[in-house]
Amino acid sequence: MEKYSIFGGKILSGEVIISGSKNSSLAILPACLLIKGKVTLRNVPNLKDVRFMLQVIESLGGEFTFEDNTVEIDTSSLKSFIASYEIVKQMRASIYVLAPLLHRFGEARVSLPGGCAIGNRPINLHIKGLKDLGVEFQLEHGYIEGSVDKMKGQEIYLDFPSVGATCQLILAGVLAEGKTIILNAAKEPEIEDLCNFLNKAGAQIEGLGTNSINITGVVSLSGCEHSIIPDRIETGSFTLLGAAVCEDLVIKNIIPTHIEAVIDKIKETGVSITQEKNTIRIKRTARPKNIDIKTLPYPAFPTDLQAPFMSFLSTSDGFSIIHETIFENRFHHVAELNRLGADIKTEGQTAYIKGVKQLFGAQIMASDLRAGFSLVLAGLMADDETIINRIYHIDRGYENLENKIKKLGGDIKRIK
Ligand code: EPZ
């Protein structure tokens, strides 16, 4: 398995260009299954998860090309409505094919996604909403089998503003008969991007960016072109890298409003950040002030940046507290950071970070995508060499990470 070798303790500088959003791509690609015609998607990040979603679509009969961050995709002739265990167990977002397959075939057989490192991640809200639209389900041998003649629009209330359930039910509502209203919907920018894409294809969705999405079903959708929004989590990741180890970092191709909560928290630590329209400029501070963070649904502080922010705070001045409210098991990086000399304790969903003077290199292990980035950041902060194992987690969601860091002067190498 591949590893990273990082020699940290250096001060970096330069500029980085943010890639397209992984989570927007993972919602918009399955949405193409609703469209009998050619779709062109630009600014698609070349990531393991994106290439995998394209394989899922190909396994169902779709055709695509993917070059220079542009996807040309045509799902006019689908031949299967089955998403196998082998596929879904590798990437939970494959579950997004469920609603489109129900529209295309009147039935779908999709493996129930298992849990993952950060939690058991049920899909009960996806199923409940689809049942509201008239879909009947059976659970057999770990597969959910759905069938419906024609989905009928309904008012659906989400017990929790789940990103996945909101995407799934938008994919269901756009071709259902009549009106579908999703209440207590998630408001993440990736959902707004999905709705903008679907409206370009002829859907009628209102309430974008709000917690009540109003959809008037249409008979069909047609091919279109769309450019994926920049990845706000990669933006936040590099903003934290700048705050920790860069004397001058310029981050380009971003939408600052998408990470307002993160920028606000970083400013609270005493770091100076300036923003122009789609650029951020950061200058590190030697010892960040201690702060408290609570993760909540958008537009509040995002759970995906909890781990990277913890690395940044590990050498802060005093005590910081991070409370994780979205996932039940998202502190795997704590033990790894403590191996680098951090002083962090957890009790349930709360982490107590006692700032230390300095981190020191060691062998550590990535457990999931964002924890993986938090370890890269800690490695860049730590003196001497840090070896990070299981970096395949990181490849899922950060395009060209080591090249982007090398360009800033970071000493990071991928070793086989
Ligand atoms: C999406 O996951 C993202 N993934 C995650 O990013 C992100 O952390 C998460 O949203 C929260 O923002 C993609 O977009 C592909 P949820 P998702 O449904 O849709 C519970 C990354 O690193 N829940 O909003 O799975 C669930 O257990 C990944 O890019 C139910 O109980 O998140 C969790 O506790 C990690 N029942 C909470 O809601 C359901 O039916 C939030 O989950 C669905 C969710």
Side-chain angles (χ1 to χ4, degrees):
M1 275 199 261
E2 294 183 324
K3 306 175 179 178
Y4 274 148
S5 160
I6 298 174
F7 281 91
K10 296 181 171 58
I11 301 295
L12 313 184
S13 71
E15 64 179 51
V16 64
I17 297 176
I18 297 300
S19 302
S21 164
K22 166 178 87 80
N23 292 346
S24 184
S25 304
L26 292 179
I28 288 176
L29 284 167
C32 296
L33 292 167
L34 294 166
I35 298 170
K36 290 179 187 159
K38 199 167 140 190
V39 173
T40 301
L41 297 173
R42 292 194 175 76
N43 200 35
V44 180
N46 186 3
L47 299 169
K48 218 161 90 179
D49 273 11
V50 168
R51 295 191 297 272
F52 188 75
M53 182 63 89
L54 286 166
Q55 283 169 29
V56 173
I57 291 169
E58 191 172 53
S59 75
L60 297 167
E63 292 164 357
F64 74 91
T65 60
F66 184 23
E67 260 146 53
D68 300 335
N69 298 109
T70 298
V71 168
E72 304 273 0
I73 185 166
D74 189 335
T75 68
S76 305
S77 52
L78 292 184
K79 60 180 194 300
S80 162
F81 53 80
I82 298 173
S84 71
Y85 175 70
E86 287 64 42
I87 282 188
V88 180
K89 80 175 182 215
Q90 293 188 57
M91 186 180 66
R92 336 171 14 76
S94 323
I95 189 70
Y96 285 157
V97 304
L98 180 57
L101 291 176
L102 286 165
H103 277 307
R104 292 291 295 267
F105 293 94
E107 57 181 317
R109 187 171 142 76
V110 177
S111 170
L112 201 54
C116 74
I118 62 178
N120 68 25
R121 304 185 70 183
I123 57 163
N124 57 309
L125 300 177
H126 299 235
I127 302 301
K128 172 186 171 292
L130 290 171
K131 279 182 175 170
D132 289 348
L133 299 178
V135 182
E136 286 172 12
F137 284 104
Q138 284 167 349
L139 175 57
E140 261 184 25
H141 309 301
Y143 278 80
I144 24 176
E145 300 190 345
S147 62
V148 64
D149 286 338
K150 181 78 183 158
M151 288 190 216
K152 298 228 175 358
Q154 262 300 345
E155 185 171 281
I156 300 167
Y157 178 78
L158 287 180
D159 301 353
F160 178 85
S162 150
V163 172
T166 303
C167 290
Q168 183 82 251
L169 295 171
I170 288 168
L171 296 176
V174 290
L175 291 181
E177 242 161 44
K179 257 183 163 327
T180 298
I181 301 173
I182 306 170
L183 296 172
N184 196 28
K187 302 194 286 187
E188 272 68 1
E190 295 76 37
I191 293 167
E192 197 168 342
D193 201 29
L194 171 66
C195 293
N196 279 322
F197 166 72
L198 287 167
N199 281 345
K200 282 180 189 171
Q204 288 175 24
I205 309 170
E206 290 165 337
L208 276 60
T210 75
N211 56 10
S212 73
I213 307 277
N214 255 292
I215 306 168
T216 305
V218 294
V219 174
S220 67
L221 298 172
S222 42
C224 62
E225 300 204 0
H226 183 73
S227 189
I228 303 287
I229 55 171
D231 193 307
R232 66 188 166 97
I233 304 301
E234 188 191 18
T235 304
S237 302
F238 272 97
T239 308
L240 284 162
L241 187 147
V245 297
C246 292
E247 67 189 350
D248 183 10
L249 176 65
V250 177
I251 306 174
K252 295 186 162 181
N253 182 33
I254 67 154
I255 302 176
T257 52
H258 286 174
I259 55 158
E260 236 148 37
V262 182
I263 290 175
D264 181 58
K265 279 293 167 188
I266 294 177
K267 282 181 178 170
E268 216 183 304
T269 67
V271 169
S272 68
I273 299 183
T274 53
Q275 296 168 231
E276 282 114 48
K277 52 189 188 332
N278 65 347
T279 302
I280 285 180
R281 188 159 199 165
I282 288 258
K283 180 173 178 44
R284 74 187 282 268
T285 173
R287 269 173 87 66
K289 291 196 204 81
N290 58 317
I291 61 167
D292 295 346
I293 289 175
K294 184 174 190 179
T295 69
L296 285 165
Y298 190 87
F301 190 94
T303 173
D304 290 348
L305 287 168
Q306 176 256 107
F309 214 115
M310 192 184 289
S311 295
F312 172 50
L313 290 174
S314 65
T315 57
S316 68
D317 198 3
F319 251 102
S320 298
I321 298 175
I322 296 184
H323 187 63
E324 169 63 53
T325 72
I326 305 292
F327 290 108
E328 66 268 28
N329 198 5
R330 201 166 196 176
F331 284 146
H332 293 289
H333 47 288
V334 170
E336 304 305 309
L337 293 177
N338 287 340
R339 284 180 54 75
L340 300 181
D343 182 354
I344 306 168
K345 292 179 182 55
T346 61
E347 259 169 51
Q349 304 286 88
T350 305
Y352 300 89
I353 303 128
K354 185 169 180 297
V356 295
K357 275 240 165 320
Q358 163 108 39
L359 298 180
F360 297 96
Q363 280 248 24
I364 49 181
M365 186 184 295
S367 53
D368 64 84
L369 165 60
R370 307 304 175 184
F373 182 87
S374 76
L375 300 185
V376 170
L377 177 51
L380 291 169
M381 293 164 64
D383 254 7
D384 315 322
E385 183 178 26
T386 296
I387 299 282
I388 302 176
N389 295 286
R390 298 191 183 174
I391 58 172
Y392 58 84
H393 288 293
I394 303 173
D395 294 338
R396 297 186 57 171
Y398 288 93
E399 186 181 41
N400 283 331
L401 181 62
E402 63 254 40
N403 293 338
K404 288 175 179 171
I405 292 175
K406 277 179 189 156
K407 258 184 70 182
L408 301 176
D411 182 345
I412 177 171
K413 279 189 288 305
R414 181 181 289 256
I415 42 183
K416 305 287 177 197

